[in-house]
Amino acid sequence: MKVTRRGFLKISGVALVASGIGISLKPVSAHAQPLKIKYAKETTTICPYCAVGCGIIVATRKGKVINTEGDPDHPINRGSLCTKGGSIYQLSVNKNRLDRPLYRAPYSSEWKAVSWDWAVDRIAKNVKRSRDKSFEKRNAKGQVVNRTDGIASVGSAAMDNEECFVYQKFLRGLGLTYIEHQARI
Amino acid sequence: MTNHWIDIRNSDCILIMGSNAASNHPISFKYVTEAMGRGAKLISVDPRFTQTSSKADIYASLRSGTDIAFLGGMIKYLLDNNLIQKEYVVNYTNASFLVNPKFKLPGDNKGVFSGLTDGKYDKSTWSFQKDASGVVKKDKSLKNPNCVYQLLKKHYSRYTPDLVSRITGTPKNKLLEVYKEYTKTGKVGKAGTIMYAMGWTQHTVGTQNIRTMAMIQLLLGNMGVAGGGVNALRGESNVQGSTDHCLLFHIIPGYLKTPKESLPTLKAYNAKYTPTTKEPKSLNWWKNYAKYSASLMRAHYGTNATLEEAYSYFPKLEDGKNYSWLTIFDKMYKGDFTGFFAWGQNPACSGASSNKTREAMSKVDWMVNVNLFDNETGSFWKGPGMDPKKIKTEVFMLPCAGPIEKEGSITNSGRWMQWRYKAVNAPGVALPDSDIVTELFYKVKELYEKKGGPLKEAITKMTWDYGPMGANGKIKHVDTNMVAKEINGYFLEDKTVKGKLFKKGTLVPSFAYLQDDGSTSSGNWLYCNSYTEKGNMAARRGPKDTSGIGLYSDWAWCWPVNRRIIYNGASVDMKGNPWDKEHPVIKWNGSKWTGDIPDGVPAPGSGRPPFIMKPHGVGSIFGPGRADGPFSEHYEPLECPVEKNLMSPQMVNPAVTRWDKVGTGTNVDARATCDPRFPFVCSTYRVSEHWQTGVMTRWCPWLAEMQPEMFVEMSKELARMKGIKNGERAIVKSIRGEVEAVAIVTGRFKPFKLNGNVVHQVGIPWHFGWVTTAMRKYVQGDKKPEVFTSGDAANLLTPFIGDANTMIPESKAFMVNVEKKGVK
């Protein structure tokens, strides 16, 4: 049975009424429960929201996230987290995450799921067409400029350092000058 | 941040202005609270009584956009009462420098500095007097009428408490209370800190807001010391790192300047940007510029190209032209781009004047949007007011891995680079961004190799050694450790540096070893030392703090060279003794410095000025580098509720680009100042439960449940006047757009009394967007949130105008009207 969070609350509410003695049993059942993260693998991460840089421990079992919590050893947050940091479990365990490339054709009213190969091939052709069309080797004064002013890029402060580096490398290799991101707004 | 989060605990007085840290950087408050427990005072200055204000010893309100008037009054107060840290100011700042006698202050020049023509300053009078050998003339007694100190005093003498109060709406007694408390930190051994965020940057005078505070920090001797500094509370987990790696038009990794068309060779480029000084004792660190630029060329092209060839492959900007965010969307709106990448970002909600931004996207031929969730940018073509059948844009929405689904580092506000590990696979076929970039790179490269094209070498000769190669000569998955190593840099040949031989292929130990001859690579000199032969420094988890001031130097890694407090040479006096004996940042033990990594500090008593990144080695109280003045001056926001700038006849910052005059000429660029249709000041802000445009929070049911709706917060007085009750629906409207919001009537906003008039201010959060709302049309295949949110972007209202230096939009002060829904 699939149980949504709201559904779960409804069910548990009913169960409580039916048993009639929910409260008195609680300490006993809590004591008997195995630790939620038993046999789980732990990895550390840093919160993806604001830039305080709080440490988080991610517990996984069989390739699924089962728990996330503040890292008590982290010198900045010492285990505590705010509402957002405390919810990163739902960033990963979330049926609404994008899970395949989507394509919207010109003048179309819908998305179409496509393969990576198809998407990358088509984007690369678009990039080449736009670059070749707008590439300027020299300006009117005859100075070498080697730039592509027909493509713009924005993003991203949500990427890792290494990703930012390779992304800017790629864009500057293409000759882009219009490169911006969150830090400007 | 010049300092770091934990260091806030060392402060004696914490000023939080332009930020609501308690709500938006909640964990930072741990250290605010810890400092307060030791007796530190907390001051909150904000248009709204926030969560931060509720914890403060002193709260002062001010009208949005009047921070310079407020802080200018503090400069006057501390100079009038002689509260500066004199030894510091005389020796560690340019207060004693003599300025060109032709330089004019706004008070003598109709509200502008000397040199203004057609919205641009000719800065030739913003210069220092020099002696025959080129050394700047100084008056260490600070009495010469042309010295920076005397000019400063004269300039801010106009910022009297009476006048400031009439501009800001802050009661005069509150102003004086704040001034008195904060300036106590000018005493030797005391430290004051500033925590600011977008409340300071998102103004047409944003840079000067921060500069005014930096000047105060220098005057009080608060830079370089524990518990001091100028601390930007950055809002995204890696916005520090993405800025360091320069995903910005004007800089390339490590804050090097983007090449310009007037600089045809690497030699000319280095000559232009390598600063020189005649100051005999100044270290002038940027003299090493050529080493960093050469190493970057190598990180991009390795030895596939000579340094000069690599430089020629880099795109060159047109001299004097601005390529920033607002320019991009203005040009896009006018149809100047065919292609657009919106990578890990949601500009349809985050950019100013969203109607313009959204419309602009319909003018490109193709767009690539990479994100974790569906968002208003990728799906712009089916948003409110859009007819998909009329929109030509071909859109690719690509799924990427989330933060715990890949390995790599991010850099926090305190410059700590921290490593993250992969816990689980990304959903479906989603890929890490680095793999997506790599796939695109390979495909584009293949096309150029097969079919040719202009300057194909710029792509085909690029190095991409980020993992084991397959038989096809390509890497399958990017090993981000390999990228991190490239960012750190390698020796590309056997090389002896500082008497030590480094073999080809070894990692460079720190940027002090980088070379200008092409024998080293480094993708970002500031990160050189982060991944060395000793290992991945960002992954360190050393738990101990041996410094006693919370540096935690063995935890992760911090740029530059693991120095936790930058400019720490200014934490000691001229003889090398720490100003603050209780919280020394560095201390001389007789043979070497202990504590933090010293910031270019030689043995005590050498007389080397401590601000080593400045050519003259001193802090810039007079800052001629800025576009809009060497001192700050109060100007009104582009849209404001007052007819006159009480400070001068110049209404708005004269050096800003005026899109309302040169933009599209349609309503998306329109301005309504002192317009009875839009009588209320409005500011955007954030709540704890959401983040940025909400893409990473609106789809999370727990968070959406806690903050489900766009709202407009207003005072009881305004609500009464407009007949709006708490919880009723309201329409907030500017000349550029409107949003529906729930009215939240609180005592946290109070009407301002400005020069005898009553002015109201309202506030709106900016995390919402139409994609996750209930009322929109969901079709087959659309993702549908478990918990809906309501409302659209606050930026539908904001003006298309930016700061004179940074071009960051003025989202914190603009004019709106509020009506109960259904009322015409």
Side-chain angles (χ1 to χ4, degrees):
Chain A
M1 183 177 75
K2 262 183 113 178
V3 181
T4 65
R5 175 173 151 73
R6 288 185 160 220
F8 171 75
L9 289 175
K10 272 185 215 155
I11 295 164
S12 60
V14 171
L16 203 68
V17 174
S19 72
I21 46 160
I23 293 159
S24 65
L25 280 179
K26 220 173 168 185
V28 182
S29 59
H31 187 74
Q33 261 174 18
L35 194 62
K36 190 172 167 186
I37 54 171
K38 200 176 176 187
Y39 305 123
K41 183 185 158 203
E42 288 189 340
T43 44
T44 57
T45 190
I46 302 297
C47 181
Y49 291 108
C50 87
V52 172
C54 297
I56 297 176
I57 297 175
V58 182
T60 52
R61 196 188 289 139
K62 292 180 188 161
K64 293 266 181 265
V65 181
I66 56 162
N67 189 52
T68 57
E69 61 189 299
D71 182 349
D73 295 331
H74 196 285
I76 294 176
N77 61 311
R78 293 276 174 219
S80 49
L81 291 172
C82 73
T83 40
K84 290 190 293 289
S87 76
I88 74 154
Y89 167 82
Q90 289 197 325
L91 263 189
S92 185
V93 184
N94 192 316
K95 69 180 172 66
N96 282 318
R97 281 280 302 279
L98 295 173
D99 51 5
R100 56 201 169 150
L102 297 174
Y103 175 70
R104 184 260 175 185
Y107 308 106
S108 166
S109 297
E110 57 186 22
W111 289 115
K112 199 174 94 185
V114 294
S115 71
W116 273 112
D117 281 349
W118 189 88
V120 167
D121 191 62
R122 192 158 176 103
I123 295 167
K125 281 178 183 148
N126 283 341
V127 168
K128 185 166 192 302
R129 196 181 320 118
S130 289
R131 182 181 182 271
D132 291 356
K133 200 172 135 191
S134 67
F135 197 85
E136 202 181 349
K137 275 191 170 168
R138 287 177 188 274
N139 63 9
K141 282 183 256 176
Q143 293 163 322
V144 174
V145 298
N146 286 340
R147 65 187 172 218
T148 306
D149 281 354
I151 308 174
S153 166
V154 301
S156 173
M159 291 200 288
D160 290 352
N161 284 316
E162 296 72 27
E163 294 170 334
C164 289
F165 181 74
V166 295
Y167 185 50
Q168 71 81 34
K169 183 171 168 174
F170 172 58
L171 296 177
R172 291 189 160 114
L174 293 176
L176 261 69
T177 50
Y178 290 97
I179 300 173
E180 288 280 281
H181 83 290
Q182 284 93 335
R184 187 76 70 189
I185 54 174
Chain B
M1 289 171 107
T2 56
N3 295 42
H4 60 101
W5 296 106
I6 297 171
D7 180 64
I8 295 166
R9 78 179 200 205
N10 297 319
S11 194
D12 296 299
C13 187
I14 300 158
L15 173 61
I16 303 186
M17 187 168 173
S19 146
N20 175 13
S23 183
N24 302 333
H25 298 86
I27 302 303
S28 73
F29 238 68
K30 235 178 154 59
Y31 299 101
V32 175
T33 311
E34 205 174 315
M36 290 173 83
R38 286 181 31 247
K41 296 287 184 221
L42 173 63
I43 303 170
S44 162
V45 182
D46 200 291
R48 184 174 62 117
F49 185 85
T50 64
Q51 289 90 335
T52 301
S53 316
S54 74
K55 295 287 175 193
D57 295 289
I58 307 171
Y59 166 69
S61 65
L62 90 168
R63 168 173 61 101
S64 271
T66 60
D67 303 71
I68 289 174
F70 191 105
L71 295 174
M74 190 186 300
I75 295 181
K76 176 177 165 54
Y77 178 90
L78 74 90
L79 296 179
D80 285 355
N81 294 289
N82 201 23
L83 299 167
I84 64 167
Q85 219 263 61
K86 184 96 188 267
E87 191 184 335
Y88 189 107
V89 171
V90 170
N91 296 296
Y92 295 170
T93 78
N94 64 14
S96 65
F97 286 26
L98 303 191
V99 173
N100 186 334
K102 287 185 188 146
F103 170 71
K104 277 191 192 155
L105 290 164
D108 303 327
N109 198 42
K110 295 179 186 159
V112 300
F113 296 91
S114 45
L116 185 74
T117 341
D118 298 333
K120 255 211 157 112
Y121 276 110
D122 164 5
K123 301 194 211 168
S124 53
T125 60
W126 308 3
S127 54
F128 296 122
Q129 301 177 33
K130 289 177 180 167
D131 67 16
S133 59
V135 177
V136 174
K137 289 188 189 172
K138 301 172 193 75
D139 173 19
K140 296 254 179 185
S141 75
L142 307 182
K143 286 185 181 136
N144 188 309
N146 282 319
C147 82
V148 168
Y149 181 82
Q150 289 300 329
L151 290 170
L152 182 81
K153 204 164 178 176
K154 187 178 171 198
H155 178 57
Y156 290 105
S157 67
R158 296 151 63 228
Y159 289 66
T160 62
D162 281 314
L163 186 57
V164 169
S165 173
R166 281 159 64 206
I167 292 171
T168 59
T170 316
K172 198 172 130 185
N173 64 336
K174 277 288 163 193
L175 283 175
L176 293 172
E177 206 184 330
V178 173
Y179 296 167
K180 190 176 168 197
E181 191 59 52
Y182 193 76
T183 55
K184 283 179 188 167
T185 63
K187 208 174 148 211
V188 172
K190 294 283 174 196
T193 191
I194 169 66
M195 296 166 71
Y196 75 91
M198 310 308 283
W200 267 2
T201 58
Q202 290 178 332
H203 291 281
T204 40
V205 292
T207 306
Q208 296 286 6
N209 282 338
I210 298 150
R211 240 194 78 68
T212 316
M213 193 65 211
M215 288 153 71
I216 291 172
Q217 291 296 67
L218 287 171
L219 292 166
L220 297 171
N222 281 336
M223 295 303 293
V225 302
V230 172
N231 296 304
L233 314 189
R234 307 208 67 176
E236 310 217 15
S237 60
N238 197 35
V239 72
Q240 186 60 54
S242 58
T243 308
D244 301 336
H245 295 301
C246 300
L247 282 163
L248 292 162
F249 87 86
H250 67 295
I251 39 179
I252 53 178
Y255 300 91
L256 305 179
K257 303 280 194 287
T258 306
K260 289 194 298 195
E261 55 189 22
S262 60
L263 302 168
T265 61
L266 181 61
K267 204 175 158 202
Y269 167 83
N270 286 332
K272 167 92 179 169
Y273 294 123
T274 308
T276 55
T277 182
K278 300 278 185 198
E279 213 57 55
K281 288 178 176 168
S282 175
L283 188 56
N284 183 26
W285 193 262
W286 276 115
K287 69 185 171 201
N288 299 303
Y289 196 96
K291 298 173 185 170
Y292 309 149
S293 59
S295 298
L296 175 62
M297 300 296 134
R298 285 292 192 233
H300 275 217
Y301 292 99
T303 49
N304 298 342
T306 64
L307 291 177
E308 284 293 352
E309 278 166 352
Y311 176 80
S312 80
Y313 298 158
F314 269 74
K316 313 286 180 302
L317 303 180
E318 186 180 322
D319 291 61
K321 184 171 157 178
N322 190 288
Y323 291 75
S324 73
W325 181 279
L326 292 176
T327 312
I328 287 180
F329 286 99
D330 191 60
K331 284 179 73 72
M332 196 182 291
Y333 189 89
K334 291 169 178 161
D336 289 353
F337 296 112
T338 54
F340 177 47
F341 287 103
W343 199 301
Q345 190 161 14
N346 184 18
C349 288
S350 62
S353 194
S354 301
N355 280 322
K356 180 173 183 173
T357 313
R358 293 172 183 187
E359 186 76 24
M361 291 172 194
S362 69
K363 312 272 174 80
V364 296
D365 293 341
W366 57 268
M367 172 171 112
V368 176
N369 179 225
V370 185
N371 220 319
L372 299 176
F373 294 98
D374 187 10
N375 61 86
E376 289 72 16
T377 297
S379 290
F380 83 93
W381 45 274
K382 53 177 171 173
M386 296 280 174
D387 180 359
K389 292 189 190 69
K390 291 185 181 147
I391 295 170
K392 67 172 179 179
T393 316
E394 188 178 14
V395 186
F396 303 83
M397 191 147 69
L398 306 180
C400 59
I404 62 170
E405 296 152 8
K406 61 187 181 185
E407 187 173 351
S409 71
I410 56 172
T411 303
N412 79 357
S413 218
R415 295 167 287 104
W416 290 20
M417 176 195 186
Q418 304 189 87
W419 199 258
R420 304 197 285 199
Y421 295 91
K422 179 176 170 174
V424 287
N425 287 327
V429 294
L431 290 173
D433 298 87
S434 53
D435 282 335
I436 305 175
V437 175
T438 299
E439 292 300 317
L440 275 176
F441 167 73
Y442 278 140
K443 190 57 82 177
V444 171
K445 185 181 170 190
E446 191 184 301
L447 283 175
Y448 277 97
E449 276 167 345
K450 274 190 193 152
K451 301 192 170 171
L455 196 73
K456 64 173 188 172
E457 301 79 7
I459 302 157
T460 59
K461 289 194 174 180
M462 199 158 247
T463 55
W464 212 269
D465 305 323
Y466 303 132
M469 294 282 171
N472 59 359
K474 293 179 184 174
I475 52 171
K476 199 155 187 269
H477 288 296
V478 172
D479 175 357
T480 42
N481 286 274
M482 298 286 285
V483 184
K485 286 180 187 177
E486 178 171 280
I487 292 170
N488 178 86
Y490 295 97
F491 283 97
L492 302 178
E493 55 191 69
D494 291 359
K495 185 86 184 172
T496 302
V497 187
K498 299 179 195 286
K500 197 177 164 198
L501 173 68
F502 293 90
K503 299 296 268 184
K504 179 181 172 179
T506 49
L507 291 156
V508 181
S510 89
F511 55 66
Y513 294 84
L514 293 176
Q515 302 295 309
D516 62 5
D517 60 0
S519 59
T520 54
S521 69
S522 175
N524 190 327
W525 72 276
L526 278 177
Y527 283 75
C528 188
N529 185 237
S530 65
Y531 209 127
T532 66
E533 294 299 329
K534 288 179 188 161
N536 182 353
M537 308 302 270
R540 296 185 309 162
R541 286 176 64 89
K544 288 210 180 82
D545 174 40
T546 50
S547 70
I549 56 166
L551 298 181
Y552 290 92
S553 302
D554 299 326
W555 184 274
W557 181 87
C558 164
W559 70 255
V561 289
N562 207 31
R563 180 176 300 125
R564 305 279 160 147
I565 296 180
I566 51 180
Y567 309 127
N568 61 31
S571 71
V572 295
D573 66 17
M574 297 289 282
K575 297 193 191 87
N577 301 312
W579 300 112
D580 183 349
K581 308 272 181 292
E582 275 177 61
H583 306 105
V585 184
I586 56 169
K587 213 171 168 180
W588 186 255
N589 71 0
S591 55
K592 66 177 177 96
W593 294 102
T594 59
D596 200 6
I597 310 289
D599 200 349
V601 200
S606 73
R608 177 183 290 169
F611 292 92
I612 63 166
M613 301 312 283
K614 305 296 293 178
H616 303 311
V618 290
S620 302
I621 288 175
F622 188 86
R626 301 283 66 81
D628 47 357
F631 294 136
S632 61
E633 167 78 346
H634 168 71
Y635 299 112
E636 287 292 333
L638 180 78
E639 290 188 341
C640 64
V642 297
E643 279 174 330
K644 272 190 192 162
N645 177 357
L646 297 181
M647 199 57 80
S648 80
Q650 178 65 36
M651 194 72 187
V652 176
N653 187 343
V656 292
T657 302
R658 289 291 293 271
W659 302 93
D660 56 314
K661 290 179 178 172
V662 303
T664 61
T666 63
N667 74 313
V668 292
D669 293 325
R671 168 195 188 208
T673 194
C674 259
D675 183 326
R677 292 175 298 165
F678 305 101
F680 312 127
V681 181
C682 185
S683 189
T684 57
Y685 59 80
R686 304 173 189 213
V687 299
S688 303
E689 295 77 11
H690 283 295
W691 187 69
Q692 314 297 65
T693 68
V695 177
M696 274 168 62
T697 52
R698 280 187 270 131
W699 288 99
C700 294
W702 296 340
L703 297 171
E705 217 170 312
M706 281 192 276
Q707 282 284 359
E709 289 182 303
M710 176 69 177
F711 62 84
V712 52
E713 185 169 350
M714 66 185 79
S715 68
K716 292 171 183 166
E717 292 83 352
L718 177 61
R720 203 176 305 128
M721 189 171 98
K722 301 299 291 187
I724 302 173
K725 291 199 183 69
N726 190 36
E728 286 184 335
R729 298 215 150 254
I731 304 292
V732 191
K733 201 183 258 192
S734 81
I735 196 165
R736 294 159 295 274
E738 63 178 63
V739 284
E740 185 176 328
V742 177
I744 303 223
V745 182
T746 72
R748 298 187 293 218
F749 271 117
K750 294 269 185 230
F752 292 102
K753 287 193 189 68
L754 296 180
N755 205 25
N757 296 319
V758 174
V759 170
H760 295 277
Q761 178 159 354
V762 299
I764 50 175
W766 70 288
H767 310 294
F768 296 95
W770 62 268
V771 160
T772 48
T773 56
M775 301 309 284
R776 62 164 277 217
K777 200 173 138 198
Y778 288 91
V779 297
Q780 180 79 30
D782 274 354
K783 302 281 190 185
K784 200 170 185 176
E786 275 182 69
V787 175
F788 294 113
T789 59
S790 79
D792 205 345
N795 273 313
L796 288 161
L797 311 182
T798 53
F800 204 81
I801 184 91
D803 170 64
N805 292 281
T806 63
M807 290 284 262
I808 290 177
E810 190 159 61
S811 317
K812 288 289 181 274
F814 54 96
M815 301 302 290
V816 300
N817 191 19
V818 183
E819 295 288 1
K820 191 163 147 175
K821 193 184 174 189
V823 172
K824 290 280 170 204

